[in-house]
Amino acid sequence: MHRLHVLVAMDSHTIAQGARSVRDTLVKELALAELTDEVKVVETGSLGIYNKGVVLVIFPDNVYYANVTVLDVTEIISEHFKKGRVVDRLIYKQAPADQDIKVDELDPRFGKQQRVVLKNAGVIDPESIEEYIAHDGYEALGKALTEQKPDQVLAIVKDSGIQGRGGAFFPTGVKWGFTAKTQSDVKYIICNADEGEPGTFKDRLILEGDPHAIIEGMALSGYAVGASRGFIYIRGEYKMSIARMQRAIEQAREHGLLGNNIFDSDFDFDIEIREGAGAYVCGEETALIESIEGKRGEPRDKPPFPGVVGLWGKPTVVNNVETLANLPQILLNGAGWYKKLGIPDNPGTKVFTMVGNINNPGLIEVPMGITLREIIYDIGQGIPDGKGFLFAQLGGTTGGILTAKHLDLPLSVSSLREIGAGMGSGALLVVDDSQCVVDMVKNFVEFFNHESCGKCTLCREGTGRLLEILEKLSAGKGSVKDLSLIKELSETMMRGAFCGLGQAAPIPILGCLRYFEQEFIRHAKDKVCRAGVCHLETAAEIKAA
Amino acid sequence: MKNLADLRKIKEKAKMEMASREKNVKYRVVVAMGTCGIAAGARNVMSALVDEIGTRSLKNTVITQTGCLGYCDQEPLVQVFEQGRPCITYGKVTPEVARKIVADHIVGNKVLSDYVFKQN
Ligand SMILES: Cc1cc2nc3c(=O)[nH]c(=O)nc-3n(C[C@H](O)[C@H](O)[C@H](O)COP(=O)(O)O)c2cc1C
């Protein structure tokens, strides 16, 4: 029994800001102060707070300290832990005005957020299976294996209406149905943790914050479709995700939650990790499967879909990390509970990483149907330095463009489709009016050009030609004719590219062109960059040279 | 682990250890740990409370500390806050009395009137 729990958020972001040395110092100093029996230091996953350095949460006092360094540790121990005096200068202050805020407002479960997938992130120690179990972990799996038939589990998932969080929002229950139906001696479950979308790091923080939820979700999926082996495909750079996942797998095996005859049933299931080498296209499910098989990561023809012919030719379910992390909650609370979250067409919540020109960037989870205004101005606390909102890009680099007129649009798959955008995988990039649209688009295209695997001509050549045109425009050497060329190339790629990469790459390009055509024209015709970002060679400059 | 009962055993134990992170607890035991309190022996009182509550696996109780309450001559002071009840402040608490507070007040629901210093 410890009277005080100190939670140190230890994810890849906070570690970069010194969380590990703060934690180590805490442990050392607590031992010197002979408080080890009274004060417990708990490593936890992301609290969703980004620009505040190392953050500590003290329970039961409910105090949040921010920007903590190793030099503050002795003061926290001697003042707060020994004497109960809160160290005021370290109290978390919220942007923009650095005002004091009530502790409860800091709790991510407060306000417009709704935490289902992230319910344990920043709350439990991800390296402790006991803490996961304390928060109802493995209860859903236990119930399923001892009280439900596989088709009952499948029926609940179908009925919940959950759609894949990897970006395409395909109904998970329907996908599982194909695999369940297909007769085969061997079937596989793959967790897609490749997360290659720039600006997206939600899967990483789920992996780091609540690894057991993914194991439980995969096991549930395996039981429902009749698979007994699972693979987690994690990009190799995600060192911490890999380490935490590996540890969680070992703990689950030790407790008999992976392996043979789980919960004394005749269900066997085990999981292995496969590391990706960080190619964007390997997030595409068939390229991912090729990569696990040890081949070059290039997409396959579809159909047949992986659900029927997948890994080593066997029926394979491929689901995103966030999708899988939802499953224990759905099985535990029922399809009806899940359907009440979000909106009828898209039940549930969505996890986003909010980045760019925003006061409070971070990891958020919101119900579907929320508006952009609520996300940017309530949760994100608006745009810094008094600048204006230019646009937001939802869903990563292939995400659609939303402008000021879309701020009050309830976000759903269909409402976004109508404006040529999509929910995507979970990145929200906020761009203020000091940025140049042409320059931004050039950046997007540089990424696609780099990541195109080269298998199909349209994507390989299309991204290259688009980049040339954009470079010309931003150097002041373009013409108005280039605009229609961009449009034509983009539309051709959308229709003809082999996989989702080439098909989706034009989405942000066309979006920017639609809403900010004037800016492109000014670059092309007047050789003027409104934001002063592009270096345009003006006629005067050329003369002077 | 063979069945749900095994799982729940682990769950109960882990929940106990995590109780101080709970927001809705019934009892909040506060030890005054100003210089005066510490000089009068509040640290030993705190240790006794932690030990007693831990041994008894009381999930509904958290222990915190506070500074000087302004009654230095009555230290060590221990306050027991119970949801919906007036706060009881015990004075001149020794480690033995601290253990009795847990046994009688929190478990037995009976205030130790001999040691009550203040009630509000
Ligand atoms: C170029 C490309 C990259 C992709 N990258 C990812 C990724 O990093 N993570 C992911 O879960 N899905 C990614 N997908 C989608 C997957 O192909 C697949 O639809 C998804 O993993 C299915 O899981 P879900 O149904 O749970 O969403 C990508 C698709 C394409 C075309």
Side-chain angles (χ1 to χ4, degrees), chain A residues 164-166 175 192 194-196 283-285 318-320 323 500-501:
Chain A
R165 266 30 179 182
K175 182 189 276 190
N192 188 343
D194 191 54
E195 194 165 57
E284 196 281 332
E285 53 190 12
V318 184
N319 271 137
N320 171 257
T323 315
L501 201 166

Side-chain angles (χ1 to χ4, degrees), chain A residues 220-237:
Chain A
L220 284 165
S221 165
Y223 182 63
V225 306
S228 57
R229 271 184 85 184
F231 290 94
I232 307 183
Y233 187 87
I234 311 184
R235 60 178 32 239
E237 300 101 302

Side-chain angles (χ1 to χ4, degrees), chain B:
Chain B
M1 171 169 341
K2 289 269 170 245
N3 50 42
L4 278 171
D6 292 349
L7 182 76
R8 291 196 183 129
K9 240 180 271 157
I10 299 178
K11 183 171 178 174
E12 285 313 308
K13 191 158 160 268
K15 268 180 116 157
M16 170 66 220
E17 178 48 48
M18 293 170 82
S20 34
R21 279 182 249 165
E22 214 28 75
K23 290 210 171 137
N24 297 312
V25 287
K26 192 158 172 224
Y27 294 100
R28 207 166 274 274
V29 183
V30 181
V31 184
M33 301 271 265
T35 315
C36 45
I38 292 172
R43 287 222 56 80
N44 294 338
V45 170
M46 171 65 88
S47 310
L49 285 168
V50 170
D51 184 57
E52 195 65 28
I53 290 171
T55 327
R56 289 171 181 270
S57 304
L58 301 180
K59 260 188 304 212
N60 59 354
T61 309
V62 299
I63 313 172
T64 70
Q65 77 286 61
T66 182
C68 173
L69 292 172
Y71 309 100
C72 308
D73 61 321
Q74 295 295 323
E75 293 284 0
L77 288 161
V78 172
Q79 299 181 301
V80 179
F81 291 87
E82 182 183 347
Q83 268 176 18
R85 289 263 200 98
C87 158
I88 307 281
T89 305
Y90 294 104
K92 301 200 165 157
V93 179
T94 61
E96 292 70 42
V97 175
R99 289 184 194 274
K100 266 175 89 76
I101 292 174
V102 177
D104 295 0
H105 186 154
I106 292 170
V107 178
N109 202 20
K110 213 175 77 221
V111 175
L112 282 78
S113 31
D114 288 356
Y115 302 96
V116 173
F117 160 66
K118 199 162 157 263
Q119 193 165 346
N120 57 330

